[in-house]
Amino acid sequence: QPQVSESGGGSVETGASLRLSCRVSGLPFPDFAMGWFRQAPGKERAAISCISWSGRSTAYADAVKGRFRVSRDNARDTLYLQMDSLQPEDTGSYYCAVLRDRRPSDYCSSAWALDAPRHVGQGTQVSVSS
């Protein structure tokens, strides 16, 4: 069973930055598109970003576009999420996910935010105070 492990969450003030990391083992990480989901208190989990296997294609939910940036290091089997200008509404649990798209497809499909991911980590908590 693949292991998906997030880290880097914490408690910050409005306007601060955080960088989340996700280490994946047990599957060929470079072959798969990856994504980040988040679940705000009292809400359903929602997809917020996607990155294709090579990193050439990325996609973001409107709520984080322009503030968050997803990247990956295939040599280290690691996914990142740089979060800038954090707002209280960004508070929640953040999950790393192995998405459905995989090599040779090198893009985030139109359904990236809707398709159920292949694997999801346990999550890391982000809290933003005003």
Side-chain angles (χ1 to χ4, degrees):
Q1 184 74 7
Q3 298 293 316
V4 181
S5 179
E6 305 91 339
S7 62
S11 297
V12 297
E13 294 185 348
T14 297
S17 297
L18 280 174
R19 188 194 197 203
L20 306 183
S21 298
C22 171
R23 182 76 160 78
V24 179
S25 61
L27 55 72
F29 176 84
D31 283 0
F32 291 93
M34 295 292 298
W36 288 96
F37 289 68
R38 76 180 179 188
Q39 186 168 17
K43 296 187 177 181
E44 293 188 357
R45 190 170 65 189
I48 57 172
S49 71
C50 166
I51 184 168
S52 66
W53 69 265
S54 73
R56 275 194 285 268
S57 173
T58 58
Y60 299 90
D62 288 343
V64 305
K65 199 173 295 183
R67 300 186 298 120
F68 290 13
R69 188 173 70 87
V70 62
S71 61
R72 65 190 296 162
D73 184 340
N74 284 344
R76 291 183 168 82
D77 294 345
T78 302
L79 177 74
Y80 302 100
L81 184 67
Q82 178 66 41
M83 306 186 294
D84 297 325
S85 301
L86 283 162
Q87 304 296 314
E89 52 265 35
D90 295 316
T91 293
S93 295
Y94 284 69
Y95 301 88
C96 171
V98 181
L99 301 183
R100 309 305 299 185
D101 293 320
R102 64 175 296 173
R103 198 189 300 221
S105 297
D106 195 13
Y107 60 93
C108 293
S109 69
S110 58
W112 71 270
L114 301 176
D115 286 343
R118 297 174 186 264
H119 306 285
V120 182
Q122 294 298 308
T124 185
Q125 183 66 32
V126 172
S127 179
V128 185
S129 59
S130 56

